[in-house]
Amino acid sequence: MTPSELLSRPFTLPNGSVIPNRFAKSAMSETLGSIDNHPTKELITLYRAWADGGAGLSITGNVMIDRRHIGEPQNVVVEDEADLDLLKSWARAGQGGGKQIWMQLNHPGKQSPKMLNRDPVSPSAIPFKKDLRGMFATPRALTGPEIDDIIRRFAQAAAVAKKAGFDGVQIHGAHGYLVSQFLSPHHNQRTDEWGGSAANRRRFVLSVYREIRKACGREFNVGIKLNSADFQRGGFTEDESLAVIKALVAEGIDLVEISGGNYENPAMAKGAGSEEVKASTLAREAYFLEFAEKVRELTDVPLMVTGGFRTERGMAQAIDSGATDLVGLARPLVVEPDLPVRIMAGDPVTSAVKPIKTGLRMIDDMALMEVSWYTRQIGRIARGRAPKQHDRGLLSLMEVLAVMATRGVRTRLRADSRPTF
């Protein structure tokens, strides 16, 4: 079977839901919400482009569940049905040509910058490492009632997504956000039922999943994005990740997407040119394929592996090996939104994605440009323009920082103007 034939095959989830091919657009933060965090028409244009480009499944960027706690300026927040009409249009755009679209749900926890949030929260009051403390305040530990409220908010947002016509939701349990913080023994040093043992630390994600199921039913797709590890001393390990997956499989999870890292060690954002990427990983393209094979030994749960795929042959080999069911693509679909259509037409493809470097070590080590530059290209697609396929180094960084600063100030001013109760 040729790569185009293999990658064009539909995939049926255990609940009978069909994804029309093996390409999945992984979540990337679009920051295309309004300044007061409502969805916009730009998101409709963007996801129509990705559906037209052939991705069988699109997972939205992180939709926040609490307006008081956002990760970036102009995140979309879903707390109620106030934006139902725009959400319905967003869902329909992502379903063009029989595709699926899932809403990723997230709470940033401590990964909420100072310019946006004066009261960040986390399982425990553990500060960031020294070089990030200028950007992120030390969080306060969540109370029991606050934890219960956050679990309820995840379920409420999922119910709104279902009503709007989305095909499913994905719990963001990776990259150092709140769910990931609860799972990590470094970030979660609680001594109550939400912390301590590995079983207690995974209680939060299991509670979120159960409440979403209760609100949305078994026929609605519910997946999770989970770190293979967070690559941090004293943090979440591969063995613990396998245990979480096993517990979620027992509960009936529909799809597990594998990723890794957090803001303090952003493995998810570093390009294929990173010296930290092993030669064996480069040869197979996917960063987390070896961990996926360990999951396969444990369970036959549907898997999506994201990070590193660059050629149609590498993508097809990952599917053919049985290590993954869906090929997760992020940056390749930013610079070439029609990549899946071209591959399924039989074109030989090598992604145009290349590492972005500014020459400033701290910036490059944190992979800030690997996130921000691509976010700007997402904005170009959302405005109906073609994305760029190359960067301008330091000049691009200055452009990105200027936009982020302007958005942050506007968001902070708006937050300060809201009444307090």
Side-chain angles (χ1 to χ4, degrees), residues 87-391:
L87 292 173
K88 286 180 178 179
S89 296
W90 187 1
R92 286 193 297 269
Q95 292 164 339
K99 312 302 195 308
Q100 288 202 19
I101 181 170
W102 296 13
M103 182 186 289
Q104 186 185 74
L105 302 178
N106 193 12
H107 188 299
K110 67 195 290 183
Q111 288 187 171
S112 185
K114 285 180 178 179
M115 66 178 178
L116 301 178
N117 191 346
R118 295 172 179 172
D119 184 34
V121 295
S122 189
S124 302
I126 307 299
F128 277 85
K129 63 182 183 180
K130 191 173 182 180
D131 56 354
L132 290 180
R133 290 178 193 172
M135 296 171 60
F136 299 95
T138 298
R140 63 174 178 82
L142 285 160
T143 67
E146 285 176 322
I147 293 172
D148 292 337
D149 178 65
I150 291 171
I151 293 168
R152 179 194 63 77
R153 285 174 177 272
F154 269 101
Q156 172 65 17
V160 173
K162 180 181 179 182
K163 188 168 183 178
F166 284 82
D167 298 285
V169 295
Q170 182 189 65
I171 302 164
H172 199 336
H175 301 173
Y177 294 110
L178 185 64
V179 173
S180 179
Q181 290 163 34
F182 266 96
L183 290 170
S184 167
H186 171 73
H187 299 289
N188 182 356
Q189 299 182 18
R190 301 176 73 95
T191 57
D192 60 6
E193 69 270 28
W194 301 105
S197 68
N200 277 0
R201 283 185 277 110
R202 60 178 173 260
R203 187 187 303 274
F204 179 74
V205 68
L206 290 173
S207 297
V208 167
Y209 173 81
R210 289 166 184 158
E211 284 300 305
I212 290 175
R213 276 288 183 226
K214 190 184 299 182
C216 299
R218 286 282 167 185
E219 76 285 355
F220 189 65
N221 293 308
V222 182
I224 188 166
K225 187 168 193 168
L226 190 69
N227 278 357
S228 60
D230 56 23
F231 309 109
Q232 188 171 29
R233 186 183 300 276
F236 189 59
T237 66
E238 284 195 356
D239 286 343
E240 288 188 308
S241 184
L242 289 170
V244 172
I245 291 171
K246 186 176 180 179
L248 286 165
V249 169
E251 297 280 342
I253 196 85
D254 292 305
L255 178 68
V256 176
E257 180 186 3
I258 296 168
S259 190
N262 56 36
Y263 278 18
E264 294 179 292
N265 196 339
M268 73 286 188
K270 293 182 178 179
S274 169
E275 60 187 22
E276 297 178 27
V277 180
K278 296 187 299 184
S280 60
T281 299
L282 289 174
R284 299 182 71 188
E285 297 191 13
Y287 302 156
F288 305 107
L289 208 56
E290 290 181 9
F291 180 75
E293 290 169 340
K294 295 178 183 180
V295 177
R296 271 287 176 258
E297 295 174 2
L298 182 72
T299 176
D300 60 356
V301 66
L303 289 179
M304 171 179 167
V305 175
T306 300
F309 288 113
R310 296 293 179 264
T311 68
E312 85 284 353
R313 187 166 299 279
M315 298 173 200
Q317 287 175 346
I319 298 292
D320 192 48
S321 72
T324 188
D325 300 298
L326 299 176
V327 170
L329 299 173
R331 288 174 293 175
L333 295 185
V334 176
V335 295
E336 299 174 285
D338 64 344
L339 195 70
V341 162
R342 290 166 48 212
I343 291 174
M344 289 187 288
D347 292 351
V349 168
T350 298
S351 172
V353 167
K354 296 179 181 179
I356 297 176
K357 301 293 183 182
T358 65
L360 301 177
R361 182 173 179 179
M362 187 185 81
I363 299 296
D364 293 340
D365 284 350
M366 290 174 61
L368 287 179
M369 285 300 295
E370 293 292 345
V371 175
S372 301
W373 186 84
Y374 284 96
T375 301
R376 285 176 61 76
Q377 306 320 306
I378 287 172
R380 289 177 65 89
I381 302 170
R383 294 189 296 273
R385 301 171 66 187
K388 297 179 181 179
Q389 294 188 356
H390 58 85
D391 79 299

